[in-house]
Amino acid sequence: MPLRITFNDVDYNFKVANTEPITKATTKIPILINGETIELIKDTKGWISNSATSGINSDLIQAIGRAIELRFRL
């Protein structure tokens, strides 16, 4: 499912690439952004990424995680 977020006045399009249904128990969500697949991991502090990607900072990862939480009512 393609989603869009505006972060620091820049629009980002990303796609949730999860093959299983997303529920409140979901802790890992793979997404496709800028042609790269990264995995968001739910931490006690919020969302983090397990891989260092160019152009995607931790604040953007947090914002994408919150957008997914709102969309899927987690």
Side-chain angles (χ1 to χ4, degrees):
M1 159 183 299
L3 298 170
R4 192 181 95 200
I5 187 171
T6 302
F7 181 76
N8 288 342
D9 297 326
V10 178
D11 287 335
Y12 294 93
N13 293 312
F14 64 95
K15 183 176 180 178
V16 176
N18 206 9
T19 57
E20 300 173 2
I22 297 175
T23 65
K24 291 185 184 215
T26 302
T27 57
K28 294 182 180 181
I29 301 174
I31 64 166
L32 180 66
I33 184 168
N34 296 338
E36 299 178 48
T37 301
I38 61 172
E39 187 172 54
L40 300 182
I41 301 170
K42 179 99 173 174
D43 193 358
T44 57
K45 301 173 195 168
W47 293 94
I48 60 170
S49 172
N50 64 347
S51 61
T53 56
S54 59
I56 302 174
N57 64 23
S58 61
D59 292 335
L60 177 58
I61 296 294
Q62 287 283 351
I64 290 172
R66 283 193 300 267
I68 292 171
E69 284 181 336
L70 289 173
R71 173 63 180 92
F72 291 100
R73 299 180 182 182
L74 302 180

